[in-house]
Amino acid sequence: MLVLQGTIPFEIIAEQKITMWLFIYHLITPCFIFCLAEEGNKGYGPVFEEQPIDTIYPEESSDGQVSMNCRARAIPFPTYRWKLNNWDIDLTKDRYSMVGGRLVINNPEKSRDAGKYVCVVSNIFGTVRSSEATLSFGYLDPFPPEERYEVKVREGVGAVLLCEPPYHYPDDLSYRWLLNEFPVFIALDKRRFVSQTNGNLYIANVEASDKGNYSCFVSSPSITKSVFSKFIPLIPQSDRAKVYPADIKVKFKDTYALLGQNVTLECFALGNPVPELRWSKYLEPMPATAEISMSGAVLKIFNIQYEDEGLYECEAENYKGKDKHQARVYVQASPEWVEHINDTERDIGSDLYWPCVATGMPIPTIRWLKNGASFRKGELRMQSLSFDDAGMYQCIAENKHGIIYSNAELKIVASPPTFELNPMKKKILAAKGGRVIIECKPKAAPKPKFSWSKGTELLVNGSRIHIWDDGSLEIINITKLDEGRYTCFAENNRGKANSTGVLEMTEATRITLAPLNVDVTVGENATMQCIASHDPTLDLTFIWSLNGFVIDFEKEHEHYERNVMIKSNGELLIKNVQLRHAGRYMCTAQTIVDNSSASADLVVRGPPGPPGGIRVEEIRDTAVALTWSRGTDNHSPISKYTIQSKTFLSEEWKDAKTEPSDIEGNMESATVIDLIPWMEYEFRIIATNTLGTGEPSMPSQKIRTEGAPPNVAPSDVGGGGGSNRELTITWMPLSREYHYGNNFGYIVAFKPFGEKEWRRVTVTNPEIGRYVHKDESMPPSTQYQVKVKAFNNKGDGPFSLTAVIYSAQDAPTEIPTDVSVKVLSSSEMSVSWHHVSDKSVEGYQIRYWAAHDKEAAAQRVQVSNQEYSTKLENLKPNTRYHVDVSAFNSAGYGPPSRTIDIITRKAPPSQRPRIISSVRSGSRYIITWDHVKAMSNESAVEGYKVLYRPDGQHEGKLFSTGKHTIEVPVPSDGEYVVEVRAHSEGGDGEVAQIKISGATAGVPTLLLVLVVPTLGVLACSGF
């Protein structure tokens, strides 16, 4: 075989006579060709394993170098070189170094090193170029040092704080805003939005709480750098809040997106109240991958497709007005291979059509490189291939969005015919009366000419015999006379070869008992018969298929079973037949030589299939019209349809009320009634026949009914109480299903009892059920009539029943008397007082604070109006405290009593008693401990408390003693714990404990003394 890649110069370096030169040439050439053929079989041209990628080098980087990767496999090992902006890079300069194919640039400079890089890889089989990679230099300048001007805005008016980011590259910044200090970032909500397009902060309507200093915080993920601007003071100007219509300030532009990318559109509006934002696609449903976030301000379309292209609309609305914005999204695509080239071998002298097809938007252009040099454009066709055509080829597809490469090697092959790798079969079987194709596939280049013989007879094309172009021999209507030895001869300009096989005839396979049509009902069993005759020397198998798909008996064993007990019988049993089992069954009896088939139909009767093509039309506030197409009746007429609906209120599908109420089986439309206005619905339809109810249809597209004025009034209207000069009105907010429209809210009406004129206020938050009216002229405990109704953008609903409530009371004016304070310990004191006479008092507040603290830091304890005293706990030892008492009600706090000063006791001893011995004497234990000495800042020891309790329990018997010893009884059962602690006027000190038990019962009655060392096995806490 001869395999040549590229142009290989052949030189005879000798100065001899022409005759000698010709002799050497004819002698060496076969050996030379053979060697190249062997090398060609083992070697191959460069194949990229890693190519350079676009790189951004931060201008402020301390790395001092940047690298571009390139790696290819090839035999023999390839060489590498690099190009910058299509000029060869001088790799001998110190600025560059190479590790394999990896290019390292030391101390990169923007003026010299920015540009497009290409890696070029070569070996003896050819050259390939890598895809282009751009080296860019990234930067993010600081914000200007000038102070930002303060922004004054009236409350209720929208505001925009400009970011004005500094110069930067690349344009991939992300934005956040600081409030007052780093790292306190403002939380974004329905009222505040930060555009990731320009970085500006938008506030729909300014509130007093927005006061502060704001700074734009900018981050560049490409160079991992962040900067922030000078602070902008925002000063809300107090004013009676006014309402303003929606005004869209963040408007997305016409957007060009690449197929498969994620697209983000921004839309935000100023207004008071805060506008609701809604997204839609003009005359089309929203993409399935669309996701709305940031309280409606951001629409993201994930993995965008061509069908997502279109006109998108953002609508902002509050009850004062609405605003709309539209822009178009165009979907284009980078080049992508439909068919790319692969390594290919072609016979010398043959033709080559190398398909290379790419898709994209705009449609990509195709060009070719051969061994790294420009070759052709468009389609590649070559005729009469020679060795010069061998080499490395690259098909390049490009449009304005990108460029892709497909690389492959073309080898040109020349060899005489040989059957070594693919000889003819020695024995060929053919069925009587059937057809046989005897293949002849030698390896040869160029393609050989074929001829056949049977025995010594040369075969030619006839009515039963045909020699195909690929060398195969076809014989039809096989008879016994066709048996014998067949030889295929192959010959080209480089040699000839032949191969022989023997043809033998077998008996044909025939279906003798074919399957019959069967009609069953769902759940029954069905049998399909199939019996065949065949050549007794061959094995027979049966294959069953349903509608052209072979049945897998292992996977479908629950429903399909074959009769394998009787030879030549392929009977099929179908158990518990389901609708999916209906169709045409084919039985194929097969041997290694031939096969025979027969078919029959299985009809399955059952419940109807799901209806299709549901369309929702004529959408009104409480009704919609549905149309659908009939599903399969499964051989039993459909008797009726049931329509079901579902909303976000429940995941359960519910039967819908319809007109007509009974939908007969011949109908394909109906009206669904009694729907909730302005509610999102899905619908599905279920068909029924005499054999049962079928599967439901696919859900319809979600729709929203038209809006309508509310028809339900809020319930539980009441209120009263609150702070001084306030009227608090409460009600039960209506759930979402009763909103009936957009811009839902409440109108609260109230008036003093006996007056005619009602005052009205609007509450725009649908989830709030409370309104507080403040009026400094409002007398306390005044009777008011109140009522509440709902409203939306379609109108007002009915008022609730009128309720009678009272305005807030005045805060108490009396001062609690006879306030006294008693110290209980170092951390506790009790406070007592006499009640005031005001009947409106709801309770009393006790304030206390350390003398060295400010009064504003006072701690507070509140008790009901039934209490005359309380205990203050967790106080600091030996500390002076100020204490006062005041009465309070729902309107506020009364004046405090006179302040009482008192000092807590010193702290109890911090030292634990050290238990030095435990002595058992008869039925008693004698426990002894060292005396505890108090420190100078601790209360003196007045005695000791001893708790005797069962182990694992907290309750026990408490003893008090002034001694350093105590006797306790020996436990009758289990273990007991003895706890010892010092006692003082400042309280109880730290505890020490020891475990004792009656485990020595059975020891002879005598005095048992056990002296326990200080560091013995006592279970003393803290030792």
Side-chain angles (χ1 to χ4, degrees), residues 279-569:
W279 291 87
S280 61
K281 186 181 181 187
Y282 184 66
L283 297 180
E284 293 182 73
M286 288 284 278
T289 59
E291 182 180 286
I292 298 173
S293 60
M294 300 298 291
S295 300
V298 173
L299 170 66
K300 283 190 175 181
I301 306 173
F302 295 91
N303 188 26
I304 195 166
Q305 301 298 306
Y306 288 124
E307 59 267 24
D308 299 331
E309 183 174 279
L311 188 65
Y312 287 80
E313 179 178 278
C314 169
E315 181 180 78
E317 182 178 12
N318 60 15
Y319 74 86
K320 189 67 176 176
K322 67 171 64 175
D323 193 10
K324 291 183 179 180
H325 172 69
Q326 291 181 335
R328 184 167 291 277
V329 173
Y330 300 91
V331 181
Q332 298 194 337
S334 302
E336 184 175 336
W337 291 121
V338 174
E339 186 175 6
H340 59 80
I341 59 175
N342 295 296
D343 290 346
T344 300
E345 283 190 359
R346 282 291 187 271
D347 295 345
I348 190 168
S350 64
D351 297 337
L352 171 66
Y353 167 57
W354 220 345
C356 184
V357 182
T359 184
M361 184 68 69
I363 297 173
T365 59
I366 300 292
R367 59 187 175 92
W368 295 81
L369 302 179
K370 178 186 177 185
N371 292 327
S374 181
F375 184 58
R376 290 187 188 175
K377 292 183 179 180
E379 166 178 282
L380 181 61
R381 292 180 183 272
M382 293 189 285
Q383 287 79 35
S384 301
L385 292 172
S386 67
F387 293 130
D388 290 339
D389 295 317
M392 299 300 300
Y393 287 79
Q394 292 178 276
C395 176
I396 303 174
E398 59 186 322
N399 64 13
K400 66 180 182 179
H401 299 300
I403 180 170
I404 53 176
Y405 291 72
S406 179
N407 306 341
E409 182 178 359
L410 175 62
K411 292 184 177 182
I412 306 302
V413 180
S415 70
T418 175
F419 286 92
E420 290 182 2
L421 300 177
N422 194 20
M424 280 179 56
K425 292 181 180 179
K426 296 301 180 184
K427 185 177 181 181
I428 303 132
L429 299 178
K432 181 180 179 182
R435 167 177 173 266
V436 66
I437 294 178
I438 307 175
E439 291 184 339
C440 179
K441 293 185 176 181
K443 185 172 180 61
K447 180 181 176 181
K449 294 181 179 179
F450 296 97
S451 60
W452 283 83
S453 68
K454 178 188 176 187
T456 59
E457 177 188 358
L458 185 64
L459 300 179
V460 294
N461 290 338
S463 59
R464 292 195 314 113
I465 296 177
H466 186 79
I467 301 174
W468 294 100
D469 288 342
D470 65 357
S472 299
L473 175 66
E474 179 185 18
I475 307 174
I476 60 176
N477 297 326
I478 299 291
T479 66
K480 191 72 174 176
L481 295 175
D482 292 318
E483 290 184 329
R485 292 171 59 85
Y486 288 80
T487 301
C488 173
F489 299 91
E491 181 179 0
N492 66 10
N493 59 4
R494 296 184 177 272
K496 61 178 68 177
N498 62 74
S499 184
T500 301
V502 176
L503 176 65
E504 294 183 2
M505 190 191 75
T506 63
E507 291 297 322
T509 303
R510 297 284 184 268
I511 298 290
T512 57
L513 185 58
L516 302 176
N517 294 338
V518 181
D519 190 323
V520 295
T521 301
V522 168
E524 295 179 346
N525 295 341
T527 301
M528 292 276 191
Q529 61 188 7
C530 187
I531 298 177
S533 63
H534 66 290
D535 191 293
T537 63
L538 302 175
D539 292 328
L540 178 68
T541 58
F542 287 91
I543 298 172
W544 283 92
S545 62
L546 169 59
N547 297 327
F549 294 95
V550 175
I551 297 172
D552 188 330
F553 285 88
E554 289 188 6
K555 290 183 179 179
E556 298 280 350
H557 65 275
E558 293 183 0
H559 293 285
Y560 291 108
E561 187 177 301
R562 245 183 335 197
N563 188 345
V564 295
M565 302 301 294
I566 304 175
K567 190 176 181 182
S568 301
N569 190 338

Side-chain angles (χ1 to χ4, degrees), residues 805-832:
I805 62 174
Y806 290 85
S807 62
Q809 305 163 344
D810 273 342
T813 57
E814 290 186 62
I815 299 173
T817 59
D818 294 338
V819 177
S820 65
V821 182
K822 181 181 180 182
V823 175
L824 302 179
S825 68
S826 63
S827 61
E828 296 176 330
M829 64 176 70
S830 67
V831 183
S832 61

